[in-house]
Amino acid sequence: MILLEGPYVSDFLKQTIENYQIPVIDTSFSAKILNEKEHQLISTADAVKRIERNPEQLIYTNSENSIHWVEQHLPFTSFPEKINLFKNKVRFRELLQDKYPEYFFQGIPFHELSTADISGFTFPFIIKPAVGFFSMGVYKVDKLEEWPNIVEKITEEVNVVQGLYPKEVFDSTEFIAEECIDGTEYAIDCYYNADGKPVLLNIMKHLFSSDKDMSDRVYITSKEIILSNLDSMGDFLKEMGVSAGVRNFAAHVEVRIDGDGRIVPIEVNPMRFGGWCTTPDLAWYAHGFNIYEYFLTQKEPDWNQLLTNKDGQVFSVVVLDNSTGKEGKQIPEFDYDRLLKNFEKPLELRKVDYRSYPLFGFVFAQTKSNQMEELTRILKSDLSEYILN
């Protein structure tokens, strides 16, 4: 079954629900966006009874805004405990501490950031909310002298985004300082089956404009990215799954691979794939299969077949986060048409109410691997060039 919550449900996910007649838990949000006559809506009481009768019941959520529902209605399952284990980055680091004994991390309450003594920390390090979403409140600290300015930026950002998401999704009360891992960053959509075996559904490379860039602007996937990482990522996920004890569980995992080829986890987002229906829908464009369906029916991708004739093609999702320096309410209009002209083959544009959320939308695109300039250009843009006065 599927548990839908805001802020966004893509047409592709809605169509998936309709095509496969997937039961959707009846909430105020799902009732508002789905036609009851066309979709199988089930009450909260019915959903709970189904899970009580069948503890192996598979549940997918499109948004971490649904975490509160899970904690409130499914306390008899392992879901709340696993959610807390993964969402709280301090607990997650403690879980894996024996496998990464030299990895530095430390929790810091938000109200103590300005007075914290970080002189003994390992530089550079990353500071971010212990419970966070996207790249909100995430900064790299290269040297001690930068700390006061970064704390000021964090405070300003928290004031802007506080209230946009439930505390289970973004909680500014505690931050984590952790070692900065040099290397290439990847995001993985996967699930653990009934036996705890990890099944990889997509691997994406996270592109950055510089070593200071902590944004989620561009993620790409390709035949080369999948095949060169499939085995090693599978081994890593298997080991992590054993430590966490997860089964029948969807996850969006972020890792870095350092210069020695060691995979170091960054975070795990529980019970879902990429937020705002981004990376799961990217898999459809890139690889031609529906990862929502694969999870809910426990299918495994045949990568050799799926990647046939995909040489030289790169597929991307571009997150148009508002990096203009202006609040959305101060922006009269955003020129989406001009932005799309910068892509040789845009596949889909998703607009977002940028006056309510700190982003303009998302672009899915297909690019030749030897012509990546369009992605480099959008990666470095602060998007102010697309503001219409």
Side-chain angles (χ1 to χ4, degrees):
M1 68 180 72
I2 288 184
L3 176 59
L4 295 179
E5 270 299 345
Y8 181 82
V9 178
S10 70
D11 289 340
F12 181 69
L13 178 52
K14 291 178 187 176
Q15 194 63 52
T16 298
I17 293 169
E18 182 177 345
N19 289 349
Y20 296 98
Q21 287 298 292
I22 303 168
V24 176
I25 298 171
D26 189 357
T27 63
S28 58
F29 179 80
S30 61
K32 182 172 62 177
I33 66 165
L34 296 180
N35 186 323
E36 189 173 356
K37 294 180 180 179
E38 298 176 358
H39 298 89
Q40 185 183 351
L41 295 180
I42 60 174
S43 68
T44 291
D46 189 18
V48 171
K49 287 179 182 177
R50 292 189 185 197
I51 297 166
E52 286 176 334
R53 288 194 301 264
N54 178 19
E56 303 291 304
Q57 175 75 54
L58 298 172
I59 303 178
Y60 178 80
T61 78
N62 68 305
S63 166
E64 290 185 0
N65 288 10
S66 63
I67 289 175
H68 179 71
W69 188 99
V70 174
E71 292 180 339
Q72 181 180 2
H73 297 289
L74 304 179
F76 57 92
T77 71
S78 64
F79 289 126
E81 193 275 331
K82 300 306 181 191
I83 287 171
N84 186 260
L85 175 65
F86 289 127
K87 276 300 294 180
N88 188 304
K89 296 176 179 63
V90 175
R91 278 201 66 195
F92 179 58
R93 287 294 171 206
E94 291 170 346
L95 170 72
L96 300 176
Q97 195 165 18
D98 61 329
K99 293 182 172 55
Y100 302 89
E102 298 178 358
Y103 187 86
F104 161 76
F105 69 94
Q106 182 171 318
I108 308 174
F110 173 64
H111 69 274
E112 294 182 9
L113 287 178
S114 60
T115 58
D117 180 7
I118 65 165
S119 59
F121 286 11
T122 301
F123 288 87
F125 68 87
I126 303 295
I127 184 73
K128 57 186 177 182
V131 177
F133 184 61
F134 273 166
S135 293
M136 295 183 290
V138 181
Y139 289 88
K140 182 182 180 184
V141 186
D142 284 310
K143 51 189 177 181
L144 183 64
E145 294 75 21
E146 295 178 340
W147 184 242
N149 185 48
I150 287 175
V151 171
E152 184 178 340
K153 288 181 178 179
I154 289 173
T155 303
E156 292 173 356
E157 193 167 342
V158 165
N159 289 335
V160 171
V161 302
Q162 192 74 26
L164 287 181
Y165 300 95
K167 66 178 180 62
E168 295 88 356
V169 178
F170 179 85
D171 187 351
S172 64
T173 57
E174 184 179 20
F175 277 66
I176 180 172
E178 59 182 4
E179 182 177 331
C180 183
I181 309 156
D182 289 327
T184 306
E185 186 168 316
Y186 292 90
I188 308 159
D189 283 333
C190 67
Y191 71 85
Y192 290 87
N193 67 15
D195 298 321
K197 172 190 173 184
V199 177
L200 281 88
L201 300 171
N202 203 6
I203 302 173
M204 295 141 286
K205 185 177 181 180
H206 188 179
L207 304 184
F208 296 96
S209 61
S210 69
D211 63 354
K212 273 287 193 183
D213 181 14
M214 295 289 109
S215 74
D216 285 319
R217 178 61 58 84
V218 178
Y219 289 86
I220 63 172
T221 188
S222 67
K223 178 178 181 178
E224 189 276 331
I225 289 172
I226 296 290
L227 294 183
S228 62
N229 292 287
L230 199 58
D231 291 340
S232 60
M233 295 292 192
D235 292 341
F236 161 77
L237 290 173
K238 182 178 180 180
E239 188 174 84
M240 185 180 71
V242 170
S243 296
V246 286
R247 297 184 303 111
N248 297 318
F249 199 82
H252 179 76
V253 183
E254 297 178 12
V255 304
R256 281 208 174 200
I257 302 180
D258 65 18
D260 297 324
R262 184 181 66 152
I263 299 176
V264 183
I266 299 173
E267 63 184 45
V268 177
N269 298 285
M271 298 185 70
R272 67 167 175 89
F273 304 132
W276 289 74
C277 298
T278 49
T279 62
D281 295 15
L282 175 64
W284 173 257
Y285 284 121
H287 312 308
F289 74 101
N290 189 322
I291 72 174
Y292 302 116
E293 178 217 352
Y294 271 51
F295 166 56
L296 293 170
T297 60
Q298 300 284 275
K299 289 184 181 178
E300 298 188 22
D302 181 344
W303 286 111
N304 289 328
Q305 179 183 6
L306 290 167
L307 297 174
T308 302
N309 301 321
K310 294 293 179 68
D311 296 275
Q313 298 298 320
V314 173
F315 297 85
S316 62
V317 57
V318 179
V319 182
L320 302 171
D321 55 301
N322 185 354
S323 51
T324 63
K326 295 183 178 181
E327 290 188 26
K329 294 177 181 178
Q330 300 174 330
I331 298 173
E333 191 174 353
F334 189 82
D335 195 341
Y336 293 99
D337 292 334
R338 183 184 171 197
L339 179 135
L340 287 181
K341 290 177 182 177
N342 283 296
F343 296 92
E344 181 183 1
K345 192 174 181 179
L347 302 172
E348 182 185 348
L349 167 68
R350 294 180 180 171
K351 298 179 182 179
V352 168
D353 180 3
Y354 56 82
R355 294 179 180 88
S356 299
Y357 294 95
L359 68 160
F360 299 103
F362 305 89
V363 174
F364 295 82
Q366 183 175 346
T367 307
K368 295 183 179 67
S369 59
N370 59 355
Q371 297 178 11
M372 297 280 283
E373 295 83 4
E374 64 186 27
L375 295 180
T376 302
R377 186 166 56 248
I378 196 69
L379 188 62
K380 294 182 178 181
S381 173
D382 66 0
L383 304 184
S384 59
E385 61 197 284
Y386 303 109
I387 293 178
L388 296 174
N389 297 317

